[in-house]
Amino acid sequence: MEDQPGFPEFIQQQAGKLLEQTLQHIGLTFISLLIAVLIGVPLGILITRRKKLAGFVLGVAGILQTIPSIALLGFMIPLLGIGAKPAIVALFLYALLPIIRNTYTGILQVDPTVIDAATGMGMNQQQLLFKVQLPLAMPVLLAGIRTATVINVGVATLAAYIAAGGLGEFIFGGIALNNTNMILAGAIPAALLAIIFDAAVARLQKLRIRSVKKTLYILPFLLIILSAFYLLPTAYGSSLVAGFTPEFMGRKDGNLGLKQVYGLNIRTVVISDMIMYKAAYEKNLDVISGSSTDGRVKAFDLLVLEDDKHIFPPYYAAPIVRQATLDKYPELGPALNKLSGIINDSIMTELNYRVDHLKQDPAVVASEFLKAKGLLHTAKQGTKGKVVIGAKIFGDGYILANMYKLLVNGYTELEAVTKTGLGGTKICFDALTNGQIDLYPEYTGTGLLVILQTDKSVVDTIIADKQKVYDYVSTQFMQRYQIRWLPPIGFNNTYALMMRRKQAADLHIKSISDLKEYLQHQ
Amino acid sequence: MIKLEHVNKSFHNGKPAVSDISLDVNTGETLVLLGTSGSGKTTTLRMINRLIAPDSGQIYVNGMNVNTHEITSLRRTIGYVLQDNGLFPHYTVAENIGIVPALLKWDKKRIDDRIRTLMQKLHLPPGEYYNAYPQQLSGGQQQRVGLARALAADPPVLLMDEPFGALDPVTRASVRKEFRSLDEINNKTVIMVTHDVQEAFELGDRICLMDNGMVQQTGTPAALLFSPANDFVRAFFDDQRLLLELKAVRLADVRPWLDTNTPPSTADTAVLQEETSCWQAMEQLTMLSSLNYTNRGNLISIDTSGLMHAFTQYKQTISSNGRSTGLS
C-alpha cells in the first residue's frame, strides 16, 4: 500500500510517540508493581504467621494468574471503565502471586535455628521480621519481584487494547497495518525493558545481603519515580474522548485523514475493536472508529456520523464473479443481481446484529430476509452444473454467501455450494483466480487498495467518489484477472465515526464536521 | 535463681513431653539436664525462656514468673546457646556478638569494647575475625561466637542446649575446656542440656537425669553414682562407671585414706587443689611418678597406687554407710 521507510527513519519520525509510549509502559509496569509489592509483601508475611490463610491466599492469587490477560482486561471494563485504572489493576493482579508466594517461601526457608536464636535473645516480632526474616528472605523475595516485573512488562503491551497506552499501541497498530517497522518499534523497546529490568533486579539479588539492607530503602523511591512516568504525558485537548483501533490510528483514511481533512482535534486513546463498542455504550468513550455495518452499532444504539468530506474510501459490497463462469452459465448474473440495491447500511447492520449479537444461524437469517423480500423460491433440481460461492471469515460474508446460494438454487437450474471461512482477502481472491470458487462478495475499497494496490496518485483522484471507484475496479479486474464486478448490493461497510445516539442528539452532531465544530466552540 | 514448679507440657500428639517437673537451681550453680533423645530435657530448657509455653506449672527466673513477666525483656537477661549455634548469616561475627547489647540500647563504644573483650577471651582475634561472616569460620569457632553472643550482655543466667553437640570429639573437648576455664561463667547460673554423660560430669555441679519426660534424680555426680534413686539411674551409668566415679570423687573426699606419712616430693612438680577429681590426678600421674596435694596448707605427696587404694576405701565406706554420707 504505502512505501515503508527504513526502521531508523521510522524511529526518528516517531521518536516523540515512542518516548511517550515507553514512559507509559514503564509507568504502567511500575505503578502496578509498586502496589503489588505494598500489598503482596505484607500479605506474604501475614500468611507465614496465619498458616491457615496461606492455602486460601495463594490459591486465589494462583487463580488470578491463570486468567488469560486479555480476558482479565475485559472483566475490568464494566467495573473500572477503560484506560489506566483497569490496566493497572489487571497488572497488579498478575504481579501479586509471585510476590506473595516468594515472600512466603522466602520467610519460611529462613533457618529455624536462627529464628529460635533471635527469639531466645529477646527480639520482638517486629525486630525479628526486619532484622532477621526479611533480610534473609530478601534474595527469594527479590526473585519474586523480578518475575513480576518481567510478567508486567509483557502484559502491559495488552494495555493498549483498553486505552491505557504503552508500547502495545505500536505493536498492535503495526500488526493491523502490516507495518513491520511499527511492530518492531513497539516490540524491541518492550523486550529491552524486560531484559534491562530483569538484569537490574538480578543484580540486586546478587549483592551481598548487607548492602541489600540499604537497597531496601532505595527500592521504594525508585519504584515511585518510575511509576511517576505514567503521569507525565497526560495533557488532554478536549472534553470528548475518542477511542480508535490501533489500525485506524495509523491509516491515511483513518485518524491521519481526520486531522488533515477535517482538522479534527480530539483526545484519542487506542483501544481494541473487541471492546470499543461496549466502551462507547458504557460512556467510557464518546467517539469510536467503528465499522458502519457492524451488528454492535445496533446492539449498543450508536449513531454513525456522516462522512461529509469523504475521507473514508467507499467499501461497497458487490459479488465478483469469474467471467468464465458467467459465460458458461448466463443465467447466473441475473440471479445474483436480485440482491442488488436492496440491502442498505442499516439493513446490513440489522442482519449482522442478528448473527453476531443474537447468535442466529447466518443461513436462517439469510433465508428469512429473502422470504420477507419475496425472493425466496424453492430450490430447483440443480442438474445443470455446480457453482461454488466463497466468503471471507466475517459476518457480512457468511450472510451474503448464504443469500446467493438460495438465489442461485431458487432461480436457476444450477447447484450452489458455499465455501465460507476463507480467511482474509488474499486467500479468498486467490481461490477465485485459481477457479476453486466461482464468486464471492468483495468491497470496492478492498479491491482498489488491497488487491489492485493502486497508486496513491490515482487513489487520491477517485477515492471521494464511490462511482469512480466502482468503475475503476470493474475495468481493472476485467483487464487483469477476467473477473467481473456485478452491481453493488447497496451497503457501504466502511470506517465510520460513531457516537451514542442520545449524546449526538443532545450535542446536535450528525456529521464529522458537526463534531469538529462542537469541539472547536467549547 | 531458677525454679520450676510442677511443669507439664504435651505436644500435638497428646503424649506428654514433660510431666510434673520441679527443679531448683541456685545462683552460680551449673545444672546439667542429662538424658537420652526424647527424654524432655530440651523441652524443659526451652520452657525456661518460654520458647515453649508450658501447659501448666510455674517457672521463675530471678524471682520473675516467666508466664506473666514481659518475656522479651526477660529473655535479654538470659543467655542462650544453641547446638547449631543459630548465628545470623547476614551479620558479621562482631554484629552477631553485639545483638543483645544493641537490643538493650547500649552505646556503640561500649558494645564495641565488650565485643573485643569477649573475642579475646574466646580466642577469636578481633583483627582477624571482627568483620568475618559466620560461614567463613570453622564449627568450633562458630560455637565460640555463639557462646560470646550469649555472654555479651553479661546475663546472670545462661541456657545451653547441647552447646558442644555438633562438634567433632577433639574440637568438643577443647571448646569444653575453654568454656570451663572462662572467668565469665564463674558467677553465672547455668542450665545445660546434654546427652553426653562425661560432659555432664565434667561441667555439672549437679545433674538432673531425665527419662520419659520425668526427672529421675537430681543431685551431685557422686550422689547419682553412689546413691541412685532407682534402677534406671543405676543402670544409666553402668557402661562407664569406673571412669565416672573417678571423675566424681575429689581428692578432698579420699583424703582420710591417703598415706600422709610420705614426705612431699621435693621435685618441682604440680600442686593439686582439693577440688581436683581423682580422674584428673590420675591423668597427671600417668606422666609423673608422684604429685603434691595441698590440704589446708599441708603438702601431701601421692602416687598412683596410694590414690587407687584411697579411692577403693572411700567407695567401701560409702556403700556400707548408704545415704548417711549426705551426698544426696
Side-chain angles (χ1 to χ4, degrees), chain B:
Chain B
M1 189 67 182
I2 297 172
K3 201 179 170 90
L4 280 73
E5 292 177 343
H6 307 290
V7 173
N8 287 284
K9 177 72 192 175
S10 316
F11 290 115
H12 306 297
N13 58 14
K15 194 173 161 268
V18 162
S19 10
D20 196 31
I21 297 264
S22 293
L23 272 180
D24 230 321
V25 189
N26 305 318
T27 306
E29 184 184 32
T30 299
L31 178 84
V32 175
L33 295 173
L34 176 64
T36 50
S37 308
S39 58
K41 53 194 194 304
T42 295
T43 305
T44 306
L45 186 81
R46 288 163 64 85
M47 285 193 291
I48 296 171
N49 62 359
R50 209 177 156 81
L51 286 176
I52 297 173
D55 295 338
S56 64
Q58 302 302 324
I59 299 171
Y60 300 91
V61 173
N62 215 354
M64 286 173 286
N65 191 323
V66 171
N67 292 344
T68 51
H69 196 270
E70 206 279 297
I71 192 64
T72 51
S73 58
L74 187 59
R75 280 175 181 151
R76 290 171 194 171
T77 67
I78 303 174
Y80 186 39
V81 183
L82 295 88
Q83 175 172 10
D84 296 312
N85 70 60
L87 296 178
F88 293 3
H90 58 306
Y91 276 29
T92 59
V93 167
E95 287 172 322
N96 264 294
I97 297 174
I99 290 171
V100 181
L103 289 176
L104 293 170
K105 305 213 160 52
W106 290 13
D107 64 65
K108 282 213 166 66
K109 176 81 178 69
R110 186 177 168 207
I111 296 178
D112 188 68
D113 288 347
R114 179 65 179 151
I115 291 168
R116 288 176 191 277
T117 311
L118 277 169
M119 287 182 77
Q120 298 281 7
K121 282 185 182 170
L122 284 155
H123 308 292
L124 295 158
E128 202 173 334
Y129 296 113
Y130 193 89
N131 286 317
Y133 282 88
Q135 312 86 284
Q136 298 165 307
L137 270 52
S138 71
Q141 288 171 324
Q142 288 179 7
Q143 204 53 35
R144 287 202 289 258
V145 176
L147 188 57
R149 182 175 68 175
L151 293 170
D154 200 15
V157 175
L158 203 55
L159 302 182
M160 305 177 86
D161 189 359
E162 307 227 12
F164 315 113
L167 304 175
D168 64 86
V170 177
T171 316
R172 187 182 337 179
S174 77
V175 176
R176 201 154 70 193
K177 198 174 251 173
E178 239 168 65
F179 171 75
R180 209 169 41 192
S181 60
L182 204 61
D183 62 343
E184 293 271 346
I185 59 155
N186 278 348
N187 50 1
K188 295 206 187 315
T189 310
V190 180
I191 299 187
M192 178 193 293
V193 162
T194 186
H195 59 253
D196 182 327
V197 179
Q198 291 202 41
E199 191 167 285
F201 274 73
E202 224 171 276
L203 300 177
D205 293 325
R206 283 194 301 149
I207 293 172
C208 169
L209 181 61
M210 291 184 69
D211 185 53
N212 215 5
M214 284 175 284
V215 174
Q216 301 297 325
Q217 187 174 359
T218 308
T220 61
L224 264 65
L225 283 173
F226 301 119
S227 355
N230 56 35
D231 290 344
F232 175 83
V233 180
R234 196 191 321 279
F236 196 82
F237 302 110
D238 273 350
D239 278 353
Q240 29 195 343
R241 180 163 285 280
L242 176 61
L243 173 68
L244 295 175
E245 286 179 352
L246 285 170
K247 283 189 172 179
V249 178
R250 298 162 300 160
L251 290 182
D253 298 325
V254 298
R255 190 187 47 79
W257 295 276
L258 283 173
D259 176 10
T260 50
N261 298 327
T262 320
S265 166
T266 48
D268 185 17
T269 178
V271 177
L272 301 180
Q273 302 297 313
E274 286 203 306
E275 293 304 307
T276 313
S277 71
C278 292
W279 173 258
Q280 280 169 302
M282 296 288 276
E283 269 185 328
Q284 301 267 340
L285 283 167
T286 53
M287 290 173 284
L288 306 162
S289 60
S290 67
L291 281 168
N292 289 331
Y293 152 58
T294 169
N295 172 34
R296 296 180 196 111
N298 303 324
L299 282 182
I300 302 170
S301 175
I302 48 172
D303 59 12
T304 311
S305 61
L307 183 58
M308 278 312 286
H309 172 76
F311 174 71
T312 318
Q313 293 293 318
Y314 167 81
K315 272 184 66 178
Q316 277 171 5
T317 316
I318 292 277
S319 45
S320 59
N321 291 358
R323 283 161 195 266
S324 63
T325 48
L327 281 169
S328 53

Side-chain angles (χ1 to χ4, degrees), chain A residues 3 77 182 256-257 314 467 481 495:
Chain A
D3 291 341
I77 294 172
M182 198 185 262
L256 302 178
Q467 190 57 45
Y481 310 112
Y495 275 128

